[in-house]
Amino acid sequence: MQTLKKGTILENTYEIMEEIGSGGGGVVFRAKHLRLQTDVVVKRIKDEVRGKVKSRQEADILKNLKHPYLPRVYDFIETQNGVYTVMDYIHGENLEEAVKAHGKYSQKQVKKWARQLGEALSYLHGQKPPIIHSDIKPANIMLTADGNVCLIDFNISLAMGESMESAVGISAGFSPPEQYRDPAMYARITHNYTLQKSLPMTAKGRSSVKAAGKPNDGTELVLTEAADDGTELLLAETGDDRTELLSTGKADDETLHLFTDNVDRTELLPENADGRGVSHSCVQANAGNPSEYAHLFGKGIDARSDIYSLGMTLYYMLTGIEPPADFKQRVPVGEADRQVSEGFAMILEKMMALSPRERYADGKEFLKAVQNCHKLDHRYIVMHRKQTAIQVSALGSLALGVLLIFGGMYRMRVEQNSAYYELIKRAEEAAGISNYDDAVEALSQARIISDTRIEAYEEEIHLLYLQGDYEECIRQGETYLNTVPFDLALAEDQERYANIYYLLGNACYELEDYSNARKFLEYALQHYTQNGLYYRDYAITLAKLGQIEEAQEQLDKGIALGITQDSIYMADGEIAHVKGQYEEAADYLEQAVSLTDDKSMKQRALLLCSDVYRSMGEATADREIALLEQNLDEFDGGDRMALEEKLAGAYVRKAQADGKQADIYYEKALSMFQSVYESGYVTFQLRQNIAILYETMDRFDEAEDILVQMTEDYPDRYEVYMRLAYLEADRQQMKENVERDYLRMYEYYEKAKEKYEGKEQNAEMDMLDVMIQDLRDGGWL
């Protein structure tokens, strides 16, 4: 494979500066982007891999990736001499180097990186089609100067087929069973890696063996093996890269041998401490036994394969122990590091399960598990606290000699606690399926058991917020806060108390009452300062009030507490929107929609992004339609109807911008508006929009029917009569001059003027005044 010399310029854009490494997928160079004057990485894909890259489309998918924990892919270049990918040069050290230099990392630090990598995988696996990295390991994760991580090296993912049937590399210890083609490959790679670890290292960092009897001639042999298709398999091209290229042919029994047949094995055995050769059988004994995993090999890789590799990578960072190539030899997380919490250990063990069925399905599911890791630990803590309470209570009862009395009282309390928590659980489950009546009933029963415990009250306020009954949410919340003597002995109860203020602040925000939203969020932060979401929403509210600098300061506090990237994007989008930076706002909000699992946040981001698109003009109608159509089916009920109304508006904008397809998009808009109407979401604005749309489509009679009915339902609204006046003007415009009669238009105008008196100025009423005057001047009235 030809290399690139320093000074070579690719595509008149990228100047090669130096070779910085090579691995299973190709040779890597640092280069300079001549136009941007920034460092980039150019990777020449190996010829073995090049044959697996099926289309330019696969590379274009990578070029469209945009995520804070992934490098930007600039280009995909095909020349006669090779195929190259170009992406960001990430400054820093990789995590394999970092662990070797600094030792293992704390659980707190590893969990932070786990969340970031989970967000990156959730984003990759959520692409259509999903992007499978297939070579996640510490060497492919960069630790940046700001303490965050970046998942690099997507070239291997270029070789994935639609069926995910193969990968182009194996990283011993980090690749899952299904990534090995067959038992022979697993046995060979496990054996070779074990042997490599037992051999001395050359100055270049390669494992080597010396020819027996010639200790001083400097002879060095790098371990290689020929596959049956003639492809040479290098165990390591650089000192720490344990990735092997996979041959395209099927392995046979010969691949179980270490050396090719034309080498005299007896003369190439490594020396042990006393200078005698180590027997081949001694090394062979350390190889893995493939028979146990035979049913898992060659099954094809998917998102779960990335989960396994990430699990092994987190294991390495957390314990400092390199995962062995032999699956059977891995030490469980809890034994490798006794300081790992039960919840985090459970998550890692699930990730590293040998069977793909037992792992998390994809990055999204893993990310959700990491974000809720504390809940796994919390159950253990609560159970331990209860056990301690039982022991203390029993000892106290014995000491006082009233075991039966206190035991009876204790049992009663335990039964009440059990019943209380069962009702709270029932309410949460009912709310989860939007069965709010049952949820409210369960909470009422819980308050009968205890009228001072805060859980039931907090859950009720949350229910009101979820239902969109923001005014009742605020009224009821303030009533409880001012009248109920809550028992706040436990720290978690203090947090729940703060959370009621937080919910009230968000309810005020939804009503666009930003001053009171700020007040309630400040109260929440006075009572609890460790929830990053409080700072996020406080920052968004401050931005709405025009306090941009303070908003950024509060957002930074939330980031420091570890709020997830979707929350950061949401806040950045809100702030950019207030600043009038619409393109930046749209980018941030699109990312929030893509990353978040929180439906409330996703809907909020979609609605705001729709407003941003409208601020940017008709040219963004296609973007708005694509975003809303892609996410609409995730919602139901009132949440869906709000998005359908936005989508109908986007169809109208598209119709106005594209005359050739106007009729198609007007019909789509009408269908969407009618869907909202039939769902029971009947508002003044919706009915007016439907009437305007009928008018635009020259369906005057249908428009008139709606507006006439509205005059009965909204007798004091001048806008209805104003719309009827405009409708009549359009109807007359369709007639010949001699047939036109503007008398009805004038009658509607007079009624509109009567009801308009004293109201805030309206541009459409001003225009109607001008139209009536023109009709008078023209002799039509």
Side-chain angles (χ1 to χ4, degrees):
M1 181 174 69
Q2 295 181 349
T3 187
L4 295 176
K5 296 181 180 179
K6 181 179 180 180
T8 301
I9 298 178
L10 286 174
E11 296 287 288
N12 298 317
T13 304
Y14 309 105
E15 181 180 359
I16 302 300
M17 307 301 291
E18 60 178 336
E19 179 178 335
I20 57 176
S22 63
V27 183
V28 184
F29 304 87
R30 182 173 66 86
K32 179 74 71 176
H33 192 302
L34 297 178
R35 179 170 57 83
L36 300 178
Q37 285 298 298
T38 187
D39 286 341
V40 295
V41 168
V42 172
K43 186 166 186 179
R44 188 188 190 282
I45 299 177
K46 287 187 175 180
D47 293 336
E48 297 92 331
V49 180
R50 180 181 181 180
K52 290 175 176 276
V53 179
K54 295 177 174 59
S55 71
R56 176 61 185 252
Q57 182 182 4
E58 294 171 325
D60 289 340
I61 291 172
L62 297 186
K63 287 175 65 176
N64 290 326
L65 297 180
K66 195 188 305 182
H67 193 277
Y69 304 132
L70 300 174
R72 177 181 174 185
V73 180
Y74 289 95
D75 221 336
F76 178 80
I77 301 169
E78 296 182 81
T79 70
Q80 291 183 343
N81 296 323
V83 175
Y84 306 88
T85 57
V86 184
M87 60 186 69
D88 275 332
Y89 181 88
I90 307 299
H91 294 273
E93 61 181 344
N94 69 53
L95 279 169
E96 183 175 31
E97 297 168 340
V99 171
K100 288 182 177 178
H102 312 297
K104 65 181 183 179
Y105 286 89
S106 68
Q107 175 174 304
K108 180 179 180 181
Q109 183 63 69
V110 174
K111 280 179 69 175
K112 172 190 172 183
W113 292 334
R115 283 194 298 271
Q116 293 176 348
L117 293 167
E119 289 172 11
L121 281 189
S122 179
Y123 177 70
L124 291 175
H125 294 167
Q127 300 300 305
K128 300 186 185 307
I131 294 176
I132 311 301
H133 188 287
S134 83
D135 195 29
I136 297 175
K137 56 186 177 182
N140 280 340
I141 299 171
M142 298 299 295
L143 180 57
T144 60
D146 58 4
N148 295 319
V149 290
C150 185
L151 179 60
I152 64 171
D153 201 346
F154 290 94
N155 296 331
I156 286 180
S157 65
L158 282 169
M160 298 303 303
E162 290 182 3
S163 61
M164 304 301 176
E165 74 281 0
S166 64
V168 300
I170 291 286
S171 291
F174 293 99
S175 294
E178 64 268 21
Q179 199 157 333
Y180 291 83
R181 186 177 56 239
D182 48 39
M185 170 177 284
Y186 170 72
R188 181 185 72 249
I189 290 177
T190 304
H191 174 81
N192 283 1
Y193 180 67
T194 304
L195 179 60
Q196 182 223 16
K197 286 296 184 182
S198 70
L199 297 178
M201 301 297 287
T202 70
K204 294 180 180 180
R206 293 177 172 180
S207 300
S208 66
V209 291
K210 295 181 179 180
K214 300 178 182 178
N216 298 316
D217 66 358
T219 301
E220 290 182 340
L221 296 176
V222 178
L223 292 177
T224 66
E225 182 177 2
D228 55 358
D229 65 350
T231 303
E232 187 180 44
L233 300 176
L234 276 70
L235 180 61
E237 289 198 342
T238 60
D240 295 326
D241 189 340
R242 51 169 94 183
T243 301
E244 285 205 28
L245 279 179
L246 307 188
S247 64
T248 56
K250 182 173 177 60
D252 53 28
D253 291 341
E254 289 301 315
T255 60
L256 289 171
H257 296 299
L258 178 60
F259 302 107
T260 55
D261 289 335
N262 62 345
V263 179
D264 184 350
R265 297 180 178 88
T266 60
E267 293 184 353
L268 295 175
L269 298 178
E271 293 180 348
N272 63 12
D274 61 5
R276 291 178 301 200
V278 179
S279 71
H280 181 203
S281 62
C282 290
V283 180
Q284 181 70 28
N286 292 324
N289 177 11
S291 62
E292 299 177 53
Y293 323 116
H295 65 289
L296 300 173
F297 295 133
K299 297 298 183 183
I301 68 172
D302 57 20
R304 296 171 297 179
S305 306
D306 279 349
I307 296 299
Y308 179 94
S309 298
L310 178 57
M312 285 297 183
T313 298
L314 297 174
Y315 175 92
Y316 175 66
M317 292 188 286
L318 192 63
T319 66
I321 301 172
E322 289 192 31
D326 183 351
F327 301 131
K328 192 174 182 180
Q329 293 182 5
R330 181 179 67 80
V331 178
V333 180
E335 294 180 23
D337 190 336
R338 301 286 183 182
Q339 302 302 314
V340 178
S341 70
E342 182 187 41
F344 198 40
M346 289 169 61
I347 289 173
L348 292 181
E349 290 296 341
K350 184 175 175 68
M351 295 174 75
M352 298 183 291
L354 294 182
S355 172
R357 292 194 302 270
E358 297 176 14
R359 302 177 206 144
Y360 297 107
D362 53 23
K364 183 177 182 179
E365 188 173 310
F366 160 68
L367 177 60
K368 186 174 181 180
V370 172
Q371 290 170 339
N372 290 282
C373 178
H374 63 283
K375 294 182 179 178
L376 297 174
D377 294 330
H378 180 68
R379 284 199 295 269
Y380 174 79
I381 293 168
V382 170
M383 180 184 70
H384 183 71
R385 185 183 295 131
K386 287 181 178 179
Q387 289 174 341
T388 303
I390 291 171
Q391 293 167 0
V392 171
S393 176
L395 288 173
S397 299
L398 286 170
L400 294 172
V402 287
L403 178 60
L404 293 177
I405 296 174
F406 277 87
M409 293 175 61
Y410 176 76
R411 277 198 303 274
M412 185 169 64
R413 285 198 301 271
V414 169
E415 290 171 0
Q416 287 178 338
N417 284 345
S418 178
Y420 186 88
Y421 282 117
E422 181 61 33
L423 288 166
I424 297 295
K425 180 182 177 182
R426 189 189 306 170
E428 291 174 346
E429 290 173 349
I433 57 174
S434 301
N435 191 346
Y436 297 117
D437 289 341
D438 286 355
V440 170
E441 176 61 28
L443 294 174
S444 297
Q445 294 179 34
R447 285 200 298 273
I448 293 173
I449 294 174
S450 175
D451 61 357
T452 59
R453 296 178 67 164
I454 196 169
E455 292 99 321
Y457 296 94
E458 180 203 22
E459 188 63 29
E460 181 182 344
I461 301 305
H462 189 210
L463 283 178
L464 290 169
Y465 180 81
L466 289 176
Q467 294 175 81
D469 194 350
Y470 302 124
E471 292 179 350
E472 181 62 16
C473 175
I474 296 166
R475 188 194 67 78
Q476 194 68 280
E478 287 189 296
T479 298
Y480 289 151
L481 289 168
N482 292 328
T483 62
V484 178
F486 292 120
D487 179 2
L488 303 177
L490 300 177
E492 51 262 41
D493 292 331
Q494 291 283 353
E495 183 178 357
R496 291 188 179 99
Y497 188 74
N499 206 45
I500 293 177
Y501 280 116
Y502 172 69
L503 289 166
L504 301 189
N506 275 279
C508 289
Y509 181 93
E510 296 294 345
L511 295 171
E512 300 184 7
D513 181 2
Y514 302 124
S515 294
N516 277 320
R518 173 179 179 171
K519 177 188 72 175
F520 284 125
L521 290 169
E522 286 174 346
Y523 287 156
L525 286 166
Q526 288 174 15
H527 290 283
Y528 191 75
T529 59
Q530 298 305 304
N531 191 327
L533 297 180
Y534 293 4
Y535 290 101
R536 179 200 69 184
D537 290 351
Y538 185 40
I540 291 171
T541 302
L542 290 172
K544 289 291 188 183
L545 292 169
Q547 297 169 256
I548 304 299
E549 289 187 10
E550 188 178 352
Q552 192 61 59
E553 290 176 6
Q554 298 301 323
L555 179 58
D556 289 342
K557 291 179 181 179
I559 294 172
L561 286 171
I563 61 173
T564 53
Q565 190 62 43
D566 54 350
S567 289
I568 298 172
Y569 279 136
M570 185 72 211
D572 283 339
E574 296 259 18
I575 292 171
H577 180 233
V578 171
K579 294 166 71 174
Q581 299 171 345
Y582 297 126
E583 188 61 52
E584 291 88 342
D587 285 343
Y588 285 133
L589 294 168
E590 286 170 2
Q591 292 285 8
V593 169
S594 174
L595 285 178
T596 190
D597 290 325
D598 183 335
K599 278 197 173 183
S600 177
M601 184 193 297
K602 178 170 283 193
Q603 190 215 24
R604 185 163 157 180
L606 286 167
L607 293 173
L608 180 57
C609 201
S610 178
D611 292 340
V612 170
Y613 287 140
R614 287 202 300 278
S615 299
M616 295 166 70
E618 291 181 349
T620 60
D622 286 328
R623 284 174 67 183
E624 182 179 4
I625 289 169
L627 184 68
L628 292 173
E629 286 182 339
Q630 182 180 353
N631 293 279
L632 186 62
D633 287 341
E634 295 184 32
F635 298 89
D636 52 24
D639 293 342
R640 180 183 176 90
M641 287 186 280
L643 294 171
E644 284 179 331
E645 200 166 8
K646 289 288 188 182
L647 181 55
Y651 286 143
V652 171
R653 292 202 305 128
K654 176 64 176 177
Q656 293 169 343
D658 187 350
K660 293 181 179 179
Q661 299 188 76
D663 290 344
I664 295 173
Y665 282 99
Y666 279 137
E667 286 291 347
K668 284 188 172 185
L670 182 59
S671 176
M672 194 60 63
F673 276 136
Q674 288 173 333
S675 173
V676 176
Y677 187 91
E678 290 166 3
S679 298
Y681 186 67
V682 181
T683 64
F684 177 89
Q685 188 62 49
L686 175 65
R687 294 168 74 177
Q688 180 176 252
N689 286 340
I690 294 174
I692 292 172
L693 192 52
Y694 275 134
E695 181 181 349
T696 304
M697 299 168 72
D698 297 336
R699 294 165 64 172
F700 301 127
D701 291 344
E702 289 162 287
E704 186 177 26
D705 287 344
I706 292 174
L707 292 171
V708 169
Q709 181 62 48
M710 289 178 70
T711 61
E712 298 178 11
D713 297 336
Y714 308 100
D716 297 324
R717 297 292 294 263
Y718 74 87
E719 297 96 326
V720 183
Y721 291 100
M722 177 184 73
R723 294 256 66 87
L724 280 166
Y726 275 113
L727 173 65
E728 194 59 32
D730 284 346
R731 177 180 272 151
Q732 297 305 316
Q733 284 292 108
M734 301 295 290
K735 300 178 181 180
E736 297 293 335
N737 282 358
V738 293
E739 298 177 355
R740 294 179 184 176
D741 182 355
Y742 289 99
L743 180 59
R744 289 183 67 189
M745 175 189 174
Y746 182 73
E747 291 173 349
Y748 288 137
Y749 166 73
E750 287 286 287
K751 288 183 178 179
K753 289 289 288 184
E754 176 187 336
K755 297 179 185 301
Y756 178 61
E757 188 176 352
K759 301 288 193 306
E760 191 173 321
Q761 185 174 3
N762 180 289
E764 287 188 291
M765 281 298 297
D766 293 343
M767 186 181 297
L768 191 57
D769 286 336
V770 173
M771 290 175 64
I772 293 296
Q773 187 59 50
D774 287 344
L775 289 173
R776 285 197 181 101
D777 294 344
W780 295 97
L781 292 175

